[in-house]
Amino acid sequence: MIRAALARIARRDRAADRVVPTSGPTAWLTSFTAGAMTFLAVFALALSLASGRLADRWSEALARTATIRISAPTDQIAPQTQAVLDLLATTPGIASARAMTDDEQRALLEPWFGPDLPLDALPIPRLIEITEADPGFDAEGLRQRLSAEAPGAVLDDHTRWRQPLVVAAGRLRLLAGVSIVLILGTMAAMITLAANASLAANAQVIRVLRLVGARDSYIARAFVRRFTLRALAGAAVGALAGMIGIAFLPAADAAGGFLTGLGFQGAGWLLPLALPLLAATIAFVATRIAAFRKLKELT
Amino acid sequence: MISFDNAAYSYGGAELLTEITLRLVPGSFHFLTGPSGAGKSTFLKLCYAELLPTAGRVTLFDREVRSLGRDDVARMRRRIGVVHQDCQFIDHLPLAANVTLPLTVSGRDGDPQDLSDLLGWVGLGALADALPPQLSGGERQRAAVARAVIMGPDVVLADEPTGNLDWEMSLRLLTLLVELNKMGKTILVATHDLNLIRTAKAQVAARVLRIKNRRIQLAGADL
């Protein structure tokens, strides 16, 4: 039924179009609202996609690595490190494990303690970097084995600080999704108001049409078609402007982090193009409901 | 065709019409008279289902009006041509488009020659492109008649069609209605112009109904 109605919308009926006066403030109001809301929706969509990518990246990057920290008296560090590496070599789910060199550990600490850190003179724990296989290892089982083989070894599988980041990115994505829904809902409300105003302003035309035998669907179609096309045109301009705005954002780089990654990638550029169609569909449904309700009040 | 069976219409607790039993048979010509405010327009609105009876039954083309959906009402109205007291045009459409509006809304293409003939018949051939606000009262009334008959309706209802016209123009309009009746159309004209009724009775076998005390009765020879 909706498809047939949309087909009738697409098919121009000059006689029906002429029945409703063309001018009026509702014309630009509908186009402007659709354009502005679609412009905002493009940014919300970009935010949603970027936060989704960020969540995936964090999950992926952190889920594949873990660290074992060995804190022991200086003379116990080397034997415990070797014991842990031997243990890891026989642990299922671990692709590789290696002890970080003194230089690597010094590089890690350099931002806080400076380049001349006397690593040998300080009780710095030894770090072992683990790369997980697919599927990963049993963290709890590994902890128990470590406590037996190397009492000074502590497994850090990054879960504690990975999880909040992933949750935050997920929430950001949800927030962006809710924003899109609110934007589209506001668009529907504004178009409904504009349609109601237009129907009320044309009450006399509607009355005459009913008196000469016009069906509600005929009268509604004249209004619905006009509002749908106005919303489509306004939203197309808004989507285009939003896409240009996104395209001119700085390119994604590591230093920019999240903000410079706020854009579309690859096929993601096609998604904003769906917004004008969505806006037109919203206008179609909102105007149709408003028109049929108003028609019952007017005649 | 149109029948009332003990029908009544009330509004805001006040009964405007009551105990109306009447049949408009095909090909008949009726006048409906009575003082201003007697309920003539209300009766006509009941005839084309703009109002629904609050009691009794009104039947249009063998269907009880209260059982009709909105689309049914629209279809019924295509069989009933109405000449409204205030004509009711769409002001931004030219006269020709207003006259062909019943065809337009029913998805039918009118024959331009038929339209030209019809406008000529009502004396508006030269005004096809004029907008309704540019027309005189008489021209609007004749245009309303043209619009009422363009679908070839079974019934023509006219509400004070000569209310704004001089006598010469009233006679011209009456002649149009009489000609329609001779073509087999059922005609009901609401008017308080008794001279018009007397003139018409000389040309056609018209029955005269009168609204008195909220009831419709057949008027006597005093007319």
Side-chain angles (χ1 to χ4, degrees):
Chain A
M1 190 180 108
I2 293 288
R3 185 182 294 179
L6 285 172
R8 282 196 296 272
I9 290 291
R11 206 169 43 235
R12 180 160 192 174
D13 182 347
R14 287 179 187 278
D17 284 351
R18 276 189 321 179
V19 165
V20 181
T22 52
S23 59
T26 54
W28 70 263
L29 180 66
T30 307
S31 300
F32 175 77
T33 302
M37 291 298 163
T38 306
F39 182 79
L40 296 175
V42 170
F43 282 93
L45 186 62
L47 176 67
S48 173
L49 293 177
S51 53
R53 283 196 301 271
L54 200 61
D56 292 345
R57 199 162 61 226
W58 284 341
S59 296
E60 182 67 21
L62 297 175
R64 293 289 153 214
T65 61
T67 307
I68 291 177
R69 189 177 71 249
I70 300 168
S71 302
T74 311
D75 60 329
Q76 290 291 312
I77 290 277
Q80 286 203 25
T81 301
Q82 192 53 52
V84 170
L85 288 172
D86 292 344
L87 185 152
L88 291 174
T90 61
T91 302
I94 291 179
S96 65
R98 69 177 187 90
M100 294 183 76
T101 65
D102 287 347
D103 287 343
E104 285 174 325
Q105 295 209 176
R106 190 175 288 111
L108 284 175
L109 296 170
E110 191 178 303
W112 287 274
F113 297 105
D116 302 323
L117 182 68
L119 206 61
D120 297 338
L122 293 172
I124 305 279
R126 173 65 62 195
L127 300 178
I128 295 176
E129 188 183 73
I130 298 172
T131 303
E132 279 188 62
D134 188 15
F137 59 84
D138 171 14
E140 199 46 47
L142 182 58
R143 279 196 183 92
Q144 288 176 5
R145 292 177 67 197
L146 285 172
S147 63
E149 300 286 332
V154 176
L155 172 67
D156 180 359
D157 62 357
H158 303 165
T159 304
R160 275 177 301 158
W161 58 283
R162 181 182 72 206
Q163 202 57 35
L165 287 177
V166 174
V167 169
R171 293 269 164 79
L172 204 56
R173 186 181 202 173
L174 179 68
L175 198 63
V178 170
S179 299
I180 292 173
V181 171
L182 287 176
I183 287 167
L184 296 178
T186 305
M187 191 196 303
M190 292 291 285
I191 290 173
T192 300
L193 288 174
N196 276 332
S198 180
L199 287 158
N202 288 291
Q204 172 62 12
V205 171
I206 292 170
R207 192 168 294 117
V208 172
L209 290 171
R210 280 292 300 174
L211 288 173
V212 298
R215 297 165 63 186
D216 284 353
S217 55
Y218 178 89
I219 301 171
R221 194 159 62 239
F223 288 90
V224 169
R225 183 176 191 282
R226 188 163 293 177
F227 276 82
T228 301
L229 294 181
R230 281 174 189 161
L232 181 65
V237 172
L240 193 64
M243 289 169 73
I244 291 171
I246 293 286
F248 276 98
L249 283 175
D253 62 24
F258 176 70
L259 279 177
T260 55
L262 186 65
F264 300 110
Q265 291 178 358
W269 280 102
L270 297 175
L271 284 176
L273 299 178
L275 289 172
L277 296 176
L278 190 58
T281 306
I282 288 171
F284 171 80
V285 173
T287 314
R288 190 173 164 84
I289 292 171
F292 277 98
R293 195 170 49 220
K294 199 75 180 175
L295 281 167
K296 283 181 184 160
E297 291 172 14
L298 288 175
T299 54
Chain B
M1 193 161 276
I2 298 178
S3 65
F4 289 68
D5 183 9
N6 204 25
Y9 181 75
S10 302
Y11 183 76
E15 198 167 52
L16 304 180
L17 293 171
T18 188
E19 294 176 19
I20 296 173
T21 299
L22 178 73
R23 268 177 68 81
L24 295 182
V25 296
S28 62
F29 196 124
H30 286 85
F31 281 103
L32 177 65
T33 188
S36 293
K40 299 191 292 293
S41 296
T42 301
F43 178 76
L44 288 187
K45 286 177 179 175
L46 288 167
C47 287
Y48 60 89
E50 187 172 355
L51 297 176
L52 297 178
T54 50
R57 286 164 55 90
V58 174
T59 307
L60 301 184
F61 305 105
D62 301 323
R63 291 195 59 187
E64 214 272 308
V65 288
R66 270 193 291 251
S67 71
L68 299 176
R70 291 176 64 81
D71 283 354
D72 295 326
V73 170
R75 276 190 286 271
M76 292 287 178
R77 287 180 182 169
R78 294 174 191 174
R79 301 178 65 183
I80 303 174
V82 183
V83 181
H84 298 276
Q85 196 168 4
D86 53 359
C87 298
Q88 306 245 23
F89 291 115
I90 296 178
D91 286 346
H92 67 274
L93 293 182
L95 176 64
N98 266 288
V99 168
T100 55
L101 206 53
L103 292 172
T104 305
V105 301
S106 57
R108 287 165 55 180
D109 292 324
D111 182 346
Q113 187 56 48
D114 287 348
L115 174 65
S116 180
D117 290 348
L118 180 61
L119 289 178
W121 181 63
V122 294
L124 296 173
L127 295 171
D129 296 326
L131 295 174
Q134 297 169 327
L135 302 176
S136 69
E139 288 164 344
R140 288 169 66 87
Q141 294 282 15
R142 281 182 280 149
V145 172
R147 186 180 66 186
V149 301
I150 196 162
M151 289 281 280
D154 300 310
V155 181
V156 176
L157 307 173
D159 189 3
E160 300 284 4
T162 59
N164 300 318
L165 305 182
D166 58 32
W167 179 244
E168 186 184 348
M169 194 59 71
S170 297
L171 285 180
R172 195 164 167 181
L173 199 64
L174 177 66
T175 304
L176 291 178
L177 294 171
V178 169
E179 281 186 45
L180 285 171
N181 181 245
K182 287 177 179 169
M183 293 176 195
K185 309 298 180 193
T186 304
I187 310 287
L188 173 61
V189 181
T191 181
H192 60 265
D193 186 344
L194 298 184
N195 285 333
L196 186 77
I197 296 172
R198 289 189 190 106
T199 306
K201 281 171 75 78
Q203 300 177 35
V204 69
R207 299 180 77 191
V208 181
L209 307 169
R210 179 161 52 196
I211 297 181
K212 192 173 182 182
N213 297 329
R214 295 174 284 122
R215 291 169 176 78
I216 289 185
Q217 35 187 242
L218 197 59
D222 54 326
L223 290 168

